Structures are given as C-alpha cells and as structure tokens.
Amino acid sequence: MWDERNKTILAFVDGEILPRDRASVPLWDAGFLHGKQIWSAPRLINGKIFRLQDHLNKMNHGIKAMNCPVVPTDQDFKDAIKAALIANKMQGASGVHIRVVWTPGTQVTASMNMKAVCDWDGQPVKPRMIVMPEWRGMGTVYDTVKGEKAIVSQYRRPTAVYADQTIHSNNQIHSSLACDEACRAGVAAAIMLDAEGNLAETHASHMAIVKDGKFYTPNVRCCPPGVTRLVLLACCEEAGIEGKEDDIKMARMFEADEVMIMGTMSGPIAITEVDGKKIGNGQIGEVTKRLSELYGVAMTKDENLTNIFA
C-alpha cells in the first residue's frame, strides 16, 4: 500500500536536509502551537513541477493574511523545493508529491500574538520553510473503470463569516472528521456542504457536476481554490464544454448526469453513487472521460510545467 522508497526520504527544514525520522520543528513553532501553517502540494512530472506558480500564489495568499513581518519570496520556495528534490535524487522523476509548508517561525512564548514570533531581543525571526517530497507514482488509488462511491457528510464547511476559508492552512479538523466518515462507510469521498446547503467540496478535493453536457463546480467561498479545479475549467474552455462556477444545492447533484471529484494526483474521478443513490446511469460519463483525457494532456504542456532545475 505504501511506497517503500519513502522510508528513507529526506526533508528540507530551515535550510537543512534531514532524514524523515529526524526532521522536526520546535515545540514553540507558531504553526505547531496555533495552526499558523500554510501549505500546498504540487506534483513533479518528468522532472518538472505542474502549475507551480498557482501553488505558490495559493500559499502567498495565506501568508499575507497572517501579517507575518518576514515574507519569503517565490524564489525562496523554489530554492527549498530544488534542494529537497536534488537531495532525494528526483531530477527527471515523475509521480512525486511535494508538500511545501510555511509557518511564521519560532515563538518566545505560547501566545497567539504575532509579536511573540521573535527572538529574545524582540527582533523578527525567519519564517520556517519545510519541503516534504514523497513518491506517489503516476497512477491513482481510485477506480477509473467503474467510478467511485461517496456519501454526504454530516459536517459542513464553515463560511467566510468565521475566517477567510480560501486560506490553505493546516486547520483541517472539518475535513479530517469527514474523511473518517468516508473511511467508515467504505467510500472514496465525503461530500461537504456549506452553511447554506450548497456543495462546497469533498473531504480531500474539489468536485463538480455535469448536467446536459455542462460542467458546474461549486463557488469557493468555503474552501481554497484548487489548482486542479482551475486546470479543468481551462480544459472545458479549450474543448468547447460550457464550464462555470455556481451555487449547487444537493438536489442538483442527485439530478446530475455526472458527478466527479478532482485532485492534483488523480485529476477528475467519476462518482457514480452518492448515499446509495445512482448518479445518472451509474457509469462514468462522457464529460468526465473527456476531461480526464484533457487533464492528462495538460500535464505534458510546457506552459504548465516549471523546470526548477534550470
């Protein structure tokens, strides 16, 4: 089930390359203490990173929202990613999942106040940067022949009334609880609604429905805007498929011809049954198949790939 190569993987932490069993953060790290941790996870394909700038933009949005006095540049992140990949001899590799993590740094005391993120002289400290590459392969754990099953979670995604939900932070308790629901139900995904009863996302990825050949994906008020979602909207435009963001009530999902989930490593995956009810004809739909093909092509296009080793 697990890739044995990851037993000896090396991580980048604060400029050091460390074995996974020694890689750690201080107990007084702001991300560990108070959840002030921003992350994203791009994918390495033939030695190049897929849609890297989109992932960095997503991280920068969250970092700026934290009002950290020291903000890393895109090049800082690129240098850290490059160092981690070279240390693991991943040049030219495919199927590598790269988790990139940022925290404001180490605090002098356990306070939520950003002023506590400083040294003992009261000066700002360097933010913490972590890169955790893992071998995942280019395949998928999902059933691409028959499609997958899902349930509607009892847990809802909070809205922007509580906090900016487009920040990709490590505060994932809602998604973790929904993930546990899916695991206990023996299905691939738990679909989460927002406070108004609109589709938000699944526990681990964005989603979309198809009706009469048109692609609809939920608005992102309650979750970060996904990179794969952005790519699939572009694929729709390229292929002449009408694609749009929309508020989607649960009833529309059950009336849809197709439902799909989407993630960085998997692309679009058909959901053919939700809560025991068949979606459409219960088979993988033509739009899902077409977008899966287009996503595969998108992963090979030069404009979507960054050669971080150049």
Side-chain angles (χ1 to χ4, degrees):
M1 183 178 181
W2 315 116
D3 194 314
E4 294 290 320
R5 292 175 293 179
N6 291 325
K7 287 183 177 180
T8 56
I9 213 76
L10 301 172
F12 176 100
V13 184
D14 292 343
E16 290 188 81
I17 299 294
L18 299 166
R20 63 177 295 159
D21 59 350
R22 286 178 45 211
S24 61
V25 298
L27 293 180
W28 272 263
D29 175 76
F32 177 78
L33 282 174
H34 302 296
K36 295 176 180 177
Q37 183 183 119
I38 305 299
W39 68 279
S40 197
R43 177 178 184 171
L44 191 68
I45 302 170
N46 294 326
K48 297 179 180 179
I49 301 179
F50 184 59
R51 300 292 287 241
L52 175 60
Q53 193 58 51
D54 289 329
H55 287 277
L56 295 179
N57 290 345
K58 182 165 61 172
M59 292 191 68
N60 284 327
H61 170 69
I63 291 170
K64 290 176 181 177
M66 294 286 181
N67 294 311
C68 181
V70 182
V71 178
T73 66
D74 286 353
Q75 191 60 49
D76 291 331
F77 281 115
K78 290 176 182 178
D79 290 343
I81 294 169
K82 179 180 178 180
L85 295 178
I86 289 175
N88 287 285
K89 298 180 173 59
M90 290 171 166
Q91 304 97 311
S94 289
V96 176
H97 179 273
I98 311 165
R99 191 177 181 103
V100 185
V101 182
W102 170 96
T103 82
T106 303
Q107 306 185 187
V108 292
T109 187
S111 167
M112 287 185 288
N113 195 325
M114 190 64 80
K115 292 181 180 178
V117 186
C118 63
D119 62 21
W120 290 100
D121 295 322
Q123 298 301 309
V125 296
K126 288 181 63 176
R128 178 151 288 113
M129 296 177 62
I130 301 166
V131 182
M132 303 157 56
E134 287 187 313
W135 297 101
R136 294 280 184 93
M138 290 296 288
T140 176
V141 297
Y142 297 113
D143 189 333
T144 58
V145 177
K146 296 180 180 179
E148 290 284 359
K149 299 177 182 180
I151 58 171
V152 176
S153 174
Q154 65 175 309
Y155 301 106
R156 297 203 174 192
R157 290 287 306 167
T159 68
V161 170
Y162 304 101
D164 181 356
Q165 301 301 319
T166 64
I167 296 173
H168 202 213
S169 75
N170 208 39
N171 295 319
Q172 295 181 293
I173 187 61
H174 306 88
S175 297
S176 295
L177 291 170
C179 177
D180 183 61
E181 280 185 302
C183 290
R184 284 187 281 111
V187 298
I191 296 168
M192 304 179 74
L193 309 179
D194 65 16
E196 286 73 44
N198 298 305
L199 301 185
E201 63 174 354
T202 73
H203 72 273
S205 64
H206 283 278
M207 64 177 300
I209 69 169
V210 176
K211 185 66 176 178
D212 297 329
K214 299 176 183 177
F215 174 96
Y216 301 93
T217 188
N219 286 304
V220 290
R221 293 185 295 268
C222 301
C223 52
V227 174
T228 307
R229 175 180 175 276
L230 182 65
V231 173
L232 290 180
L233 283 168
C235 287
C236 284
E237 183 175 1
E238 177 185 330
I241 300 168
E242 184 175 339
K244 61 180 292 188
E245 300 170 295
D246 202 4
D247 288 334
I248 306 169
K249 297 295 184 184
M250 189 163 55
R252 283 180 62 191
M253 175 182 67
F254 285 111
E255 295 167 357
D257 302 318
E258 304 175 40
V259 172
M260 69 186 80
I261 59 175
M262 56 193 81
T264 301
M265 301 300 285
S266 65
I269 298 294
I271 296 294
T272 55
E273 181 182 299
V274 178
D275 282 349
K277 300 175 184 177
K278 186 186 298 184
I279 299 297
N281 62 9
Q283 298 180 354
I284 299 177
E286 293 304 314
V287 174
T288 303
K289 291 178 182 177
R290 179 64 176 138
L291 288 177
S292 181
E293 294 171 357
L294 291 170
Y295 186 75
V297 172
M299 288 192 295
T300 67
K301 290 185 175 180
D302 287 340
E303 61 262 33
N304 291 329
L305 299 169
T306 298
N307 184 1
I308 206 162
F309 303 108

